[in-house]
């Protein structure tokens, strides 16, 4: 089947490459000519494990190409995906749908023959109706159906998630469109991946409900972690103790510096807005968003607690800048408010990230960037582990001890080190939701 992917960002590029790998002929379109030119040269605009090889193999097999020519790609396609960004609208937190609607207008003008237009972007309930209205208004003659097919891939494991999803959600009420969707995902239908077929509005809401629930789970354990610190309990054990209950599940129960990334912050806000507009306020999600926002800066106070004094004039190293490991995505990373707060408190901050420093420089241009973890630790009074990259899990503690300041503190925001061992080796250790040195 011929597929046009409109928007070649994280989701568009990964989905386009995976559909090509399923055997379809895919054109990934973007209006960013620089991005398309780079992709045509074989350069990836994002860091995602396995993506470069997958793209190269499918380009070689002539099933995947990159273009700025939306008209030609859409005209030739039976399935057109909208995978453009839906960031938070400045000022009010609603999803900014201007990119989706602009893409819909361009697609409308280029439609040729029966076409299924599929919204993969995360969009509020009712957006599919508006996309359909735009298509019909612009091209009353077109034979077109609009389907919702939200994407659930996780950055850092995106290809695996796309090819082995927990479920595929298809919001399609039209039989012909249903057949096109089945053909598109044929390998996944064959290996019996769970498919949830529903109406379009329900499909749109499933995506937001899923992200809001996961954000809630993270925030719940973060607040339990705060309580653990006050009462001398260990959040890791609490998480294990509740996570083994099948009704709860062990995933997303890792206490940390608060959720970030390109989806949870903006999607929770957009869902809150939808609830308020429809007079069905989502008070739990409202609280989750507020608690999470406050938490990020509060993490800087952990550094003060570890050092037992003001941060003025102190040197703090930050390990890990991206919002999670195995991606270079810096969108809404918790490291950003943390580093700004450390600066505000008078600390000299240096940082290292294995992959994300190029992206980080765009957001934090003034920051001192280091070559590796040990250079980052050099002379530091405190070392903050902000993102749990594999390479930070087995740091040479003796070497750290040698290069850091005289009373070195490790602030482990991901709880990846055993507190007792670090304390035995002469570090001050501060985790999240773990018993403090003095018992509480
Ligand atoms: N990143 C994720 O992990 C993830 C996961 C699931 C869902 N989503 C959702 O998928 C959507 C896309 O997210 P993303 O992270 O890939 O965004 P992104 O910002 O990485 O990519 C969007 C791309 O669309 C392009 N674009 C915008 N308007 C266009 C137009 N009219 N024609 C052609 N190209 C156009 C932009 O230039 C950009 O390259 C969002 O709604 C997001 O919420 C993202």
């Amino acid at each position: 089947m011929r597929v046009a992917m409109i928007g070649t960002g994280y989701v568009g590029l990964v989905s386009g490459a995976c559909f090509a790998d399923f055997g379809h002929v895919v054109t990934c379109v973007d209006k960013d000519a620089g991005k398309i030119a780079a992709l045509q040269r074989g350069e990836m605009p994002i860091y995602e494990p396995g993506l470069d090889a997958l793209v190269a193999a499918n380009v070689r097999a002539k099933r995947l190409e990159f273009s700025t020519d939306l008209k030609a790609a859409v005209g030739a396609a039976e399935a057109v995906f909208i995978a453009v960004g839906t960031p938070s609208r400045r000022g009010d937190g609603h999803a900014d749908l201007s990119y989706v609607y602009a893409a819909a207008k361009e697609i409308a003008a280029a439609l040729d023959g029966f076409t299924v237009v599929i919204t993969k972007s995360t969009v509020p309930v009712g957006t599919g109706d508006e996309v359909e209205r735009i298509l019909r208004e612009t091209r009353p003659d077109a034979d077109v159906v609009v389907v919702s097919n939200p994407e659930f891939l996780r950055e850092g494991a995106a290809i695996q998630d796309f090819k082995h999803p927990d479920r595929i959600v298809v919001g399609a009420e039209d039989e012909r469109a249903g057949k096109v969707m089945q053909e598109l995902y044929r390998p996944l239908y064959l290996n019996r991946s769970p498919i949830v077929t529903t109406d379009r509005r329900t499909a749109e809401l499933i995506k937001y409900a899923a992200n809001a629930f996961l954000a809630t789970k993270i925030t719940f354990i973060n607040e339990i972690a705060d309580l653990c610190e006050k009462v001398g309990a260990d959040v890791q054990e609490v998480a294990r103790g509740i996570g083994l209950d099948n009704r709860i599940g062990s995933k997303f129960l890792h206490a940390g510096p608060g959720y970030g990334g390109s989806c949870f912050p903006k999607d929770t806000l957009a869902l809150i807005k939808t609830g308020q507009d429809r007079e069905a306020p989502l008070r739990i999600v409202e609280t989750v968003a507020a608690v999470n926002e406050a938490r990020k800066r509060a993490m800087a106070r952990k550094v003060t607690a570890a050092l037992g004094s003001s941060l003025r004039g102190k040197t703090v190293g930050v390990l890990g800048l991206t919002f999670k490991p195995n991606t270079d995505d810096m969108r809404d990373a918790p490291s950003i408010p943390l580093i700004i707060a450390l600066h505000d408190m008078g600390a000299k901050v240096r940082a290292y990230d294995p992959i994300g420093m190029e992206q980080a420089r765009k957001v934090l241009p003034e920051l001192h960037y280091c070559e590796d973890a040990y250079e980052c630790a050099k002379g530091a009074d405190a070392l903050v582990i902000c993102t749990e990259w594999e390479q930070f899990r087995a740091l040479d503690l003796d070497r750290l001890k040698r290069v850091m300041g005289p009373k070195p503190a490790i602030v482990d925001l991901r709880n990846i080190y055993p507190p007792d061992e670090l304390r035995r080796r002469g570090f001050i250790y501060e985790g999240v939701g773990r018993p403090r040195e003095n018992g509480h």
Side-chain angles (χ1 to χ4, degrees):
M1 187 180 297
R2 289 199 78 102
V3 176
M5 187 65 67
I6 310 306
T8 307
Y10 225 112
V11 164
L13 181 55
V14 171
S15 312
C18 288
F19 279 128
D21 214 45
F22 288 170
H24 302 301
V25 178
V26 181
T27 305
C28 283
V29 177
D30 207 286
K31 61 178 183 187
D32 180 342
K35 188 182 266 190
I36 292 299
L39 280 161
Q40 286 167 340
R41 290 194 300 272
E43 293 162 20
M44 294 302 107
I46 50 169
Y47 173 81
E48 178 64 37
L51 185 63
D52 45 0
L54 187 77
V55 167
N58 284 283
V59 167
R60 257 198 318 277
K62 299 208 178 311
R63 287 192 302 261
L64 180 61
E65 60 173 12
F66 302 99
S67 172
T68 52
D69 187 351
L70 181 144
K71 194 167 190 305
V74 170
E78 296 148 87
V80 177
F81 283 91
I82 299 178
V84 301
T86 49
S88 273
R89 193 161 69 188
R90 262 178 208 285
D92 68 1
H94 267 286
D96 178 353
L97 295 171
S98 56
Y99 302 100
V100 172
Y101 295 151
K105 275 201 187 102
E106 286 183 70
I107 291 166
L111 289 171
D112 188 4
F114 176 60
T115 314
V116 181
V117 173
I118 306 142
T119 311
K120 217 173 217 334
S121 301
T122 302
V123 293
V125 177
T127 304
D129 302 357
E130 181 62 12
V131 168
E132 184 172 334
R133 196 193 60 75
I134 292 170
L135 295 176
R136 299 221 183 283
E137 189 178 277
T138 319
R139 282 289 300 283
D141 61 308
D143 189 9
V144 64
V145 179
V146 178
V147 168
S148 165
N149 172 220
E151 183 49 57
F152 297 92
L153 62 78
R154 291 165 304 168
E155 295 184 5
I159 296 167
Q160 165 74 14
D161 282 354
F162 193 92
K163 291 191 165 183
H164 304 277
D166 288 345
R167 78 313 209 174
I168 302 158
V169 173
V170 176
E173 288 142 85
D174 174 282
E175 204 180 313
R176 285 186 304 167
K179 288 217 173 85
V180 167
M181 296 308 289
Q182 199 163 338
E183 179 62 23
L184 274 168
Y185 283 105
R186 200 207 315 238
L188 303 185
Y189 274 79
L190 288 177
N191 75 14
R192 295 183 179 272
S193 298
I195 317 266
V196 180
T197 308
T198 175
D199 62 87
R200 200 164 59 200
R201 287 179 161 242
T202 304
E204 289 169 338
L205 189 53
I206 287 172
K207 173 66 192 177
Y208 280 105
N211 275 0
F213 189 85
L214 293 172
T216 302
K217 212 171 168 191
I218 295 173
T219 307
F220 175 82
I221 203 67
N222 282 340
E223 286 203 312
I224 293 290
D226 292 347
L227 181 60
C228 283
E229 287 173 14
K230 296 282 196 281
V231 300
D234 185 337
V235 76
Q236 305 268 93
E237 297 302 320
V238 174
R240 191 172 135 75
I242 64 173
L244 285 168
D245 185 328
N246 283 331
R247 295 168 303 176
I248 296 173
S250 58
K251 306 259 176 73
F252 277 73
L253 283 182
H254 300 286
Y259 62 77
S262 68
C263 292
F264 287 1
K266 78 172 177 66
D267 291 349
T268 43
L269 283 188
L271 183 62
I272 289 166
K273 285 290 161 190
T274 303
Q276 287 168 352
D277 283 358
R278 304 300 171 106
E279 293 180 15
L282 298 159
R283 296 207 182 85
I284 292 174
V285 188
E286 286 173 7
T287 305
V288 163
V291 168
N292 192 67
E293 201 42 46
R295 182 170 192 82
K296 295 184 198 172
R297 260 181 90 87
M299 290 298 106
R301 291 197 286 275
K302 279 196 170 294
V303 184
T304 320
L307 295 181
S309 65
S310 142
L311 294 188
R312 192 143 306 278
K314 297 273 166 47
T315 300
V316 179
V318 176
L319 293 182
L321 295 168
T322 55
F323 82 97
K324 67 172 173 179
N326 293 325
T327 178
D328 62 350
D329 204 331
M330 282 296 295
R331 287 179 277 186
D332 259 318
S335 65
I336 302 168
L338 168 76
I339 287 168
I340 293 171
L342 291 171
H343 267 298
D344 290 350
M345 291 171 167
K348 288 177 274 181
V349 187
R350 38 207 286 141
Y352 168 71
D353 187 280
I355 297 286
M357 291 200 289
E358 198 184 319
Q359 295 301 326
R361 277 196 176 91
K362 296 178 189 165
V363 205
L364 297 163
E366 307 288 314
L367 188 60
H368 178 104
Y369 293 92
C370 301
E371 286 290 308
D372 61 29
Y374 301 98
E375 196 206 321
C376 184
K378 205 165 164 186
D381 299 286
L383 191 62
V384 182
I385 300 171
C386 193
T387 315
E388 68 280 30
W389 286 89
E390 278 303 321
Q391 61 173 258
F392 299 150
R393 289 179 185 273
L395 292 168
D396 178 341
L397 296 176
D398 291 331
R399 192 169 162 198
L400 276 189
K401 191 94 197 299
R402 279 199 305 276
V403 299
M404 286 181 72
K407 280 162 75 188
I410 304 277
V411 180
D412 181 5
L413 298 182
R414 301 293 180 170
N415 289 343
I416 58 177
Y417 280 95
D420 292 348
E421 190 191 336
L422 265 85
R423 287 177 187 138
R424 217 174 30 246
R425 283 166 174 257
F427 291 94
I428 299 163
Y429 178 89
E430 183 82 27
V432 178
R434 298 173 123 183
R436 314 285 284 277
E437 197 145 17
N438 57 9
H440 282 226

